[in-house]
Amino acid sequence: METMSPQQGTMGQNRSDSLTGESKALPDNKKKMKTLAQRRQSAPSLVISKALTRSKSTSRESCLTPVSPESCPLVQAFLAECPGRQFLGHAQTQLKTGLQTQDRHLFLFTDTLLVAKAKSPTHFKVKAQVRVCEMWTASCIEEVCEGSTNPERSFVMGWPTCNCVASFSSEEHKDKWLALIKSRLTEGKEKDDPKTIPLKIFAKDIGNCAYAKTLAVSNTDSTTDVIRMALLQFGISGCVKDHRLWVSSSKDDPPYPLIGHEFPFSIKMSHIRDGGSSGGGLGVGGGRDPTSPTDCPGVLLLDQCLPPDTQCQFILKPSKVAPGQVPLIEPGQQKSFKRKRSLINWPFWKGSNTQLDSLPLSPTSLSPTQGRLFGRPLSSVCSPDHGLPKPVMDMLVFLYLEGPYTRGIFRRSAGAKACRELRDRLDSGTEDPEITHQSVFVIAAVLKDFLRNIPGSMLCVDLYDQWMDVIEGEGGEERMQAVQRLLHLLPSENLLLLRHVIAVLQCIQRNAHDNQMNAFNLSVCIAPSMLWSPAPSTPEMEGEGTKKVCELVRFLIENCCSVLGDDVTTLFRSFSQKSSSSDHGSDVSSFQMNDSSYDSLENELNDDP
């Protein structure tokens, strides 16, 4: 028989004592050995021991089903908030996202879904409060959660900033709730106002296409539908499955990808109603009030009031990494790790936002800190006393000198990468961007980018209806006086910038026989960056409004001295222009005019009597 060590003997004795239930006094040295042995137990072994000895009885959550959901204080309190609200049903379910599983109770009302955690049979803590019309459902279970899930008893449901798999007790129970949510979702979308909103899509890493396009997106358009529309507007060849739509809804969180079944309309509207705050996920308590009084067409005006770094933005990117690029590695993930990460894990992603390779494309900035130039109010970057910001003035001077002798100026598309790099340098203000070394088309594109991201627009959205009335009214001297009256209503810094921009455009159109850009062509290209409607409208109304803005800008170019003063043509007199004999580009017919919005708008304008 082997001889035991003193420590083994003590441990064996201790086990014997614990099994027999006897309590014996131990010498001091043996007590010390016992303490040492317990201390040497590793943390994992303690966890395993605890798991093995855990009772196999049902979980605490499953035991806390309310006896009568209708009389539950939570339901009664929520019904009291809105007299017209009705309680439709209660369900106990498991919500799964990635590897996380949570026992939750669902309380469905005519307009709202409450996701709650049981504290007792009569007390529940609300974890999420969702407008039913902002929800979506799908069957892509494998994209949302990992591990074994019975598809016969589960379906995907979600809302802005959350996707999860809901698992029910039976297939019949699941079918009942899926049908109930779908019916409430459909009825909620029929009551939506507005039903269509303008949605700006930014292109990233997609060759030499336009930097951004604005689409008319309805409340029933899925992410897949929006990608399809964006590809057509950008003139991009390829399949929908080869591209992915990403969303940045908070300056503190990295952009996240959408799977395809979500509603971008709901994401945008929810973000505006929340005032730019991120929330609504499974781990967020409280939630917003879904009966917010901002449910009207004017709600989109709130988007312009949000700080630029909290505005919700949508980015179109290729699904696959282009040859030569380094594959994206998630924070903390090893290259040898092969398991596919659920796309919809994004509410729980933390750390670096390297997923989009320093993504900030937008002048309203996806970066945590706001830039110095793009997306800022004009009053904060320029004044009549100090003049225009140096980067803006440098771009205007460059276009004044080069634009008149460049065929297709403002019409020809520039490289997205070159535009992004120049914009980032201008916005940082940390180095000399060397504008004179840039392509004239890049400068023109970045200037338009600056103009269309001026909060409230250069011509002031507050005056939009009055501008439209002027264009719809009589021409001649009456229109001239009406335009002058509205120009005097512009803030001084807006008028200062307008005078310089129109001076450059007027100089370019004077040489239209060489550059092929007369006042009409220039207005089609730049007018949408100078004024837009303050409220959402139908695509037809938006098109009519754009044509009127083009007519307004054309009028300003052709009558700049009459409406802006005789000195407007002398603003750049100190800068000498080149001779028209200089060759600044090939024939316009050889350019790739790939801005489909320009061509369609030009055709519409030419069709007018």
Side-chain angles (χ1 to χ4, degrees):
M1 182 177 178
E2 296 181 1
T3 304
M4 292 189 298
S5 67
Q7 184 175 335
Q8 288 173 322
T10 303
M11 293 176 65
Q13 181 67 39
N14 290 341
R15 291 194 192 99
S16 176
D17 293 344
S18 63
L19 290 173
T20 59
E22 297 177 3
S23 178
K24 298 180 181 180
L26 295 175
D28 292 341
N29 62 333
K30 290 188 176 182
K31 286 183 180 180
K32 188 175 183 180
M33 289 182 180
K34 178 180 179 181
T35 303
L36 179 62
Q38 290 175 338
R39 194 183 308 144
R40 286 183 176 179
Q41 268 193 294
S42 64
S45 67
L46 291 174
V47 175
I48 294 173
S49 299
K50 184 177 180 181
L52 292 176
T53 57
R54 182 179 297 170
S55 172
K56 295 184 179 179
S57 60
T58 55
S59 66
R60 176 177 178 270
E61 278 286 330
S62 62
C63 298
L64 297 180
T65 303
V67 177
S68 177
E70 294 83 356
S71 59
C72 171
L74 173 65
V75 174
Q76 292 299 315
F78 205 69
L79 289 174
E81 291 181 4
C82 182
R85 179 179 288 153
Q86 297 179 11
F87 176 64
L88 301 180
H90 162 268
Q92 185 177 332
T93 181
Q94 282 190 332
L95 300 185
K96 302 180 180 180
T97 301
L99 293 172
Q100 184 178 20
T101 300
Q102 298 171 325
D103 291 311
R104 292 290 181 261
H105 291 259
L106 306 181
F107 295 90
L108 183 63
F109 300 83
T110 48
D111 61 340
T112 306
L113 174 72
L114 296 183
V115 181
K117 179 179 180 180
K119 294 296 185 181
S120 72
T122 58
H123 177 64
F124 296 84
K125 181 179 180 180
V126 176
K127 306 299 289 186
Q129 181 176 327
V130 189
R131 300 178 82 251
V132 176
C133 66
E134 290 180 353
M135 294 183 64
W136 49 70
T137 59
S139 57
C140 52
I141 294 176
E142 293 182 354
E143 293 285 351
V144 177
C145 74
E146 301 178 20
S148 59
T149 301
N150 188 344
E152 302 298 328
R153 297 190 290 108
S154 308
F155 64 87
V156 174
M157 70 176 186
W159 50 88
T161 73
C162 179
N163 265 284
C164 58
V165 173
S167 297
F168 295 83
S169 58
S170 66
E171 183 177 353
E172 294 75 14
H173 201 193
K174 165 248 182 179
D175 291 338
K176 173 187 174 182
W177 268 81
L178 179 58
L180 191 58
I181 291 177
K182 282 186 174 181
S183 66
R184 299 313 309 167
L185 195 157
T186 301
E187 183 172 337
K189 288 190 175 297
E190 291 175 353
K191 297 178 180 179
D192 259 342
D193 185 16
K195 290 183 172 62
T196 302
I197 61 172
L199 195 69
K200 196 169 187 178
I201 309 293
F202 298 94
K204 167 76 172 174
D205 298 338
I206 309 183
N208 186 24
C209 69
Y211 161 64
K213 294 286 186 180
T214 300
L215 311 178
V217 176
S218 73
N219 60 351
T220 58
D221 288 330
S222 67
T223 297
T224 300
D225 297 329
V226 173
I227 293 176
R228 186 178 294 110
M229 288 188 289
L231 294 179
L232 291 174
Q233 283 294 316
F234 281 109
I236 300 172
S237 60
C239 301
V240 172
K241 65 180 181 180
D242 296 331
H243 298 82
R244 175 150 292 148
L245 194 64
W246 293 66
V247 180
S248 174
S249 59
S250 171
K251 66 177 181 178
D252 297 323
D253 296 327
Y256 53 84
L258 301 179
I259 296 176
H261 61 273
E262 304 92 343
F263 296 121
F265 174 98
S266 298
I267 296 174
K268 180 71 172 180
M269 294 299 290
S270 174
H271 187 82
I272 295 174
R273 292 186 181 101
D274 287 343
S277 62
S278 60
L282 289 177
V284 178
R288 66 187 177 281
D289 180 9
T291 59
S292 169
T294 57
D295 293 342
C296 63
V299 69
L300 289 180
L301 291 175
L302 297 177
D303 193 32
Q304 300 177 10
C305 300
L306 296 178
D309 56 355
T310 63
Q311 293 178 3
C312 184
Q313 301 184 358
F314 294 82
I315 307 99
L316 183 67
K317 282 179 59 70
S319 298
K320 299 178 180 179
V321 179
Q325 287 185 339
V326 179
L328 300 178
I329 304 297
E330 303 293 349
Q333 180 180 346
Q334 300 298 322
K335 292 184 178 180
S336 60
F337 190 58
K338 300 296 184 182
R339 179 169 62 85
K340 180 180 179 183
R341 185 179 188 181
S342 293
L343 281 176
I344 213 61
N345 257 354
W346 49 260
F348 307 101
W349 290 4
K350 300 295 180 184
S352 171
N353 63 342
T354 55
Q355 289 89 346
L356 285 185
D357 185 25
S358 301
L359 179 69
L361 290 175
S362 168
T364 53
S365 181
L366 300 179
S367 59
T369 57
Q370 184 179 2
R372 298 187 178 185
L373 188 63
F374 290 86
R376 297 183 64 91
L378 281 180
S379 58
S380 67
V381 297
C382 65
S383 68
D385 296 332
H386 299 91
L388 298 175
K390 184 180 183 301
V392 175
M393 193 63 187
D394 288 346
M395 288 190 290
L396 290 171
V397 170
F398 187 81
L399 292 172
Y400 176 81
L401 298 177
E402 299 287 341
Y405 314 110
T406 304
R407 295 184 179 94
I409 185 65
F410 284 111
R411 180 176 182 178
R412 181 182 175 184
S413 296
K417 181 179 180 181
C419 291
R420 181 171 62 252
E421 291 175 349
L422 176 59
R423 183 176 56 254
D424 289 344
R425 290 200 298 271
L426 294 176
D427 220 15
S428 65
T430 56
E431 58 178 300
D432 184 2
E434 297 181 344
I435 285 179
T436 56
H437 296 169
Q438 299 289 335
S439 163
V440 64
F441 300 107
V442 171
I443 300 298
V446 173
L447 177 66
K448 287 197 298 181
D449 202 16
F450 169 75
L451 294 178
R452 66 172 168 260
N453 284 277
I454 296 174
S457 82
M458 182 167 59
L459 288 172
C460 289
V461 293
D462 293 339
L463 302 176
Y464 179 83
D465 292 336
Q466 297 182 56
W467 284 121
M468 295 301 99
D469 292 340
V470 168
I471 297 302
E472 293 172 358
E474 298 294 331
E477 187 63 27
E478 184 175 334
R479 173 176 291 185
M480 192 81 66
Q481 294 177 359
V483 169
Q484 290 174 334
R485 177 178 58 82
L486 289 179
L487 289 175
H488 283 99
L489 297 179
L490 292 177
S492 56
E493 54 271 8
N494 291 55
L495 184 59
L496 176 66
L497 177 59
L498 177 65
R499 282 167 52 85
H500 283 78
V501 171
I502 294 298
V504 172
L505 298 178
Q506 199 272 341
C507 179
I508 292 173
Q509 71 92 28
R510 284 204 311 262
N511 205 32
H513 64 279
D514 189 17
N515 58 46
Q516 308 296 319
M517 297 299 290
N518 55 26
F520 169 79
N521 292 338
L522 288 170
S523 67
V524 171
C525 293
I526 203 170
S529 301
M530 298 173 66
L531 179 65
W532 48 84
S533 173
S537 59
T538 64
E540 293 78 11
M541 293 178 61
E542 185 176 348
E544 288 297 320
T546 302
K547 288 194 288 186
K548 292 175 183 176
V549 175
C550 289
E551 187 176 346
L552 169 63
V553 174
R554 179 182 181 180
F555 180 85
L556 292 175
I557 296 173
E558 294 178 340
N559 302 274
C560 64
C561 292
S562 300
V563 296
L564 293 171
D566 294 333
D567 63 330
V568 70
T569 58
T570 65
L571 292 175
F572 297 92
R573 177 175 292 177
S574 59
F575 303 96
S576 59
Q577 287 188 315
K578 297 180 180 181
S579 170
S580 60
S581 62
S582 301
D583 187 9
H584 296 270
S586 57
D587 184 75
V588 68
S589 61
S590 66
F591 289 159
Q592 181 185 1
M593 304 299 184
N594 56 4
D595 192 340
S596 59
S597 64
Y598 173 93
D599 296 328
S600 60
L601 180 57
E602 182 181 33
N603 293 335
E604 289 181 16
L605 290 170
N606 287 331
D607 289 341
D608 285 349

